[in-house]
């Protein structure tokens, strides 16, 4: 089931559940996503991989639309072999616009990854592209910590009103 959920995220053009019509995906507003430590299109520094110990990289986002209730972040790879979700964090207060290194905002909740772990599961595939996708949601996800990946991704997809992404080319 987790692999199916990862495939839904990895195979869709914007990381949303593939059940959404392409015309609906195109109408979503863009969010700017950046990081002081990770360059879009560049390598993911080894500190944020299974070789490092820093945990998740710091992220910042901007242009979150009015009416956003919460924010979610999904980290996955866009592998031809099915993809893997390395982190899901949701119910981030909409007034928050950054995520510090190795940290989760107060009140945010982490769901299960593809491997069934909770929290940031550092990537190991040296040649994979990793996507850090930020979603603006029209409501709270309201699932428990460690909720199944399938359940979490479906809830995020059902509530998404805007999204943005930072993509790395491979691991450093």
């Amino acid at each position: 089931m987790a692999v199916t959920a990862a495939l839904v995220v990895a195979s869709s053009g914007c990381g949303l559940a593939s059940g959404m019509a392409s015309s609906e995906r195109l109408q979503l507003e863009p969010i700017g996503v950046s990081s002081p430590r990770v360059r879009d299109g560049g390598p993911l520094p080894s500190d944020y991989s299974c070789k490092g110990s820093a945990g998740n990289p710091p992220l910042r986002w901007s242009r979150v639309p009015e009416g956003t209730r919460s924010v979610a972040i999904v980290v996955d790879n866009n592998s031809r072999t099915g993809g893997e979700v390395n982190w899901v964090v949701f119910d981030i207060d909409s007034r928050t616009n950054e995520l510090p290194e190795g940290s989760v905002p107060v009140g945010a909740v982490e769901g299960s990854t593809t491997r069934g772990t909770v929290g940031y599961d550092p990537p190991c595939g040296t040649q994979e592209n990793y996507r850090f996708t930020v979603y603006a949601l029209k409501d709270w996800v309201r699932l428990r910590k460690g909720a199944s990946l399938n359940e979490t991704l479906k809830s995020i997809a059902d509530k998404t009103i805007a999204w943005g992404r930072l993509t790395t080319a491979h691991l450093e």
Side-chain angles (χ1 to χ4, degrees):
M1 183 176 268
V3 173
T4 302
L7 284 169
V8 168
V9 169
S11 65
S12 63
C14 64
L16 295 174
S18 59
M20 184 181 284
S22 60
S23 61
E24 290 176 88
R25 285 194 299 251
L26 295 175
Q27 294 173 3
L28 296 177
E29 297 182 43
I31 295 174
V33 181
S34 63
S35 172
R37 296 284 324 255
V38 180
R39 184 177 53 83
D40 191 44
L44 180 64
S46 61
D47 291 351
Y48 309 113
S49 75
C50 61
K51 297 176 186 174
S53 60
N56 63 274
L59 294 174
R60 297 179 180 146
W61 51 92
S62 60
R63 298 189 312 268
V64 174
E66 200 165 312
T68 297
R69 296 284 308 270
S70 70
V71 174
I73 300 170
V74 177
V75 178
D76 71 316
N77 70 1
N78 191 15
S79 173
R80 290 184 299 270
T81 60
E84 180 176 15
V85 176
N86 298 88
W87 194 33
V88 180
V89 59
F90 54 89
D91 286 349
I92 300 169
D93 188 291
S94 63
R95 294 170 292 187
T96 301
N97 63 0
E98 68 181 298
L99 181 74
E101 178 179 274
S103 168
V104 175
V106 174
V109 181
E110 293 175 298
S112 292
T113 66
T114 301
R115 294 189 329 166
T117 60
V118 176
Y120 184 72
D121 185 15
C124 287
T126 58
Q127 298 304 310
E128 299 289 342
N129 297 330
Y130 291 95
R131 306 182 304 186
F132 294 79
T133 308
V134 177
Y135 298 95
L137 309 178
K138 62 185 172 190
D139 204 355
W140 300 96
V141 172
R142 299 189 196 282
L143 293 173
R144 72 196 180 292
K145 180 178 181 174
S148 77
L149 183 58
N150 192 40
E151 182 180 28
T152 303
L153 294 179
K154 179 173 180 352
S155 186
I156 290 170
D158 289 346
K159 296 169 176 56
T160 297
I161 57 176
W163 69 280
R165 176 177 293 149
L166 182 144
T167 303
T168 63
H170 52 80
L171 294 183
E172 187 174 70

